[in-house]
Amino acid sequence: MENQEIILNIDRLTKKYGGRRAVDSLSLQIHRGEIFGFIGHNGAGKTTTIKCCCGILRFEEGSVEIGGLSIRKEPIACKQKLAYIPDNPDLYDFLSGIRYLNFIADIYRVSQGEREERISRYADLFEIKKDLAQPIRSYSHGMKQKLALISAFLHRPELIIMDEPFVGLDPKASHFLKQLMREHCDAGGAIFFSTHVLEVAEKLCDKVAIIKAGRLVTSGTMEEVRGDTSLEDVFLELEG
């Protein structure tokens, strides 16, 4: 993995709110082919880091590069390479599900044939095909989450960044999401996602990083971080 191309390079990232450092000189590298889990309690700085990486939040110090491009200097070019799913997807409620997916496909110039094939496959997997004609305002939280996931995988971005993607998903949908994440990375993409569900991270991730109070506590392959114990034991000890 180490000699593969770096797709997300976070270098000494610092984000302040007032005098408080929400993210404190954090450095991480995510390579192509990796599912990278970002672990920490609520308020640890996971969402802030993710929003800085996506160009949603400005930051005071450090740099974020996506595929070698600076999110600060070339935000549009960076955003063309990625998909971002927030922890609470805010979609266009007045659109139907299918119109929303076509809107995303138009932005990323996905051909008619490819979009039809992918939408059909993903909507089948997440069991919302019959709901795509309905307005998004009528969707449950779980259905909105599924629609957001389909929109992320639809244009085959180089990097998918997700904030707590498993929250609100039923077990079957969670299973298919894990399958799609692995498939995406096996095809040369990368995934960086935050979670507090340690069992998911332990089974799914190639690498993990643990953040506490805005600072990186540890990172590495699952084996390096976990050692002879469980990820839960390591996490609780570090949080101790």
Side-chain angles (χ1 to χ4, degrees):
M1 286 284 184
E2 285 303 333
N3 58 9
Q4 286 191 310
E5 185 189 340
I6 296 167
I7 185 66
L8 174 60
N9 190 18
I10 307 168
D11 186 34
R12 292 165 296 181
L13 174 69
T14 298
K15 170 68 185 168
K16 299 173 188 169
Y17 290 113
R20 186 178 73 87
R21 288 175 176 244
V23 181
D24 190 357
S25 198
L26 184 134
S27 296
L28 279 179
Q29 293 181 336
I30 288 86
H31 298 76
R32 288 189 187 278
E34 287 177 349
I35 299 178
F36 200 114
F38 196 37
I39 300 165
H41 277 314
N42 290 340
K46 302 190 302 292
T47 297
T48 301
T49 302
I50 280 173
K51 285 185 173 177
C52 289
C53 289
C54 296
I56 295 165
L57 283 179
R58 293 185 177 187
F59 47 92
E60 286 73 26
E61 295 166 28
S63 65
V64 173
E65 290 185 350
I66 293 167
L69 302 174
S70 164
I71 193 75
R72 263 195 175 133
K73 296 173 186 165
E74 299 174 272
I76 303 296
C78 284
K79 287 171 187 179
Q80 285 171 341
K81 293 175 177 285
L82 68 84
Y84 161 61
I85 302 181
D87 57 348
N88 196 9
D90 198 8
L91 310 173
Y92 296 119
D93 277 2
F94 61 90
L95 291 177
S96 65
I98 190 66
R99 283 189 66 190
Y100 177 73
L101 292 175
N102 276 310
F103 166 66
I104 297 295
D106 286 343
I107 289 173
Y108 289 99
R109 299 178 181 160
V110 181
S111 73
Q112 195 62 38
E114 283 177 327
R115 75 175 69 180
E116 283 174 10
E117 182 266 320
R118 290 172 193 172
I119 289 171
S120 176
R121 183 189 167 214
Y122 298 148
D124 265 345
L125 273 183
F126 287 118
E127 299 182 330
I128 63 163
K129 201 177 222 176
K130 68 182 190 311
D131 305 297
L132 289 181
Q134 303 306 316
I136 295 170
R137 77 172 76 88
S138 69
Y139 285 22
S140 67
H141 174 75
M143 285 162 68
K144 285 181 180 176
Q145 183 80 354
K146 290 174 181 180
L147 191 70
L149 288 166
I150 294 170
S151 72
F153 285 95
L154 183 56
H155 57 99
R156 302 271 163 91
E158 293 176 50
L159 172 67
I160 299 178
I161 298 179
M162 300 189 272
D163 198 357
E164 299 285 357
F166 294 96
V167 172
L169 285 186
D170 55 83
K172 202 170 178 186
S174 292
H175 170 75
F176 287 123
L177 173 55
K178 291 173 203 166
Q179 192 177 306
L180 288 177
M181 288 165 80
R182 186 78 273 165
E183 213 174 82
H184 180 76
C185 292
D186 286 349
I191 288 177
F192 181 51
F193 78 104
S194 73
T195 185
H196 61 265
V197 187
L198 299 178
E199 299 82 18
V200 167
E202 195 152 18
K203 289 186 181 133
L204 186 62
C205 297
D206 303 303
K207 289 185 180 172
V208 288
I210 298 176
I211 184 175
K212 179 182 179 180
R215 301 203 72 149
L216 187 69
V217 184
T218 185
S219 71
T221 64
M222 185 55 72
E223 290 71 27
E224 286 166 349
V225 171
R226 186 175 53 195
D228 297 329
T229 61
S230 72
L231 189 59
E232 187 174 31
D233 289 342
V234 174
F235 181 68
L236 292 173
E237 191 182 325
L238 291 170
E239 286 293 324

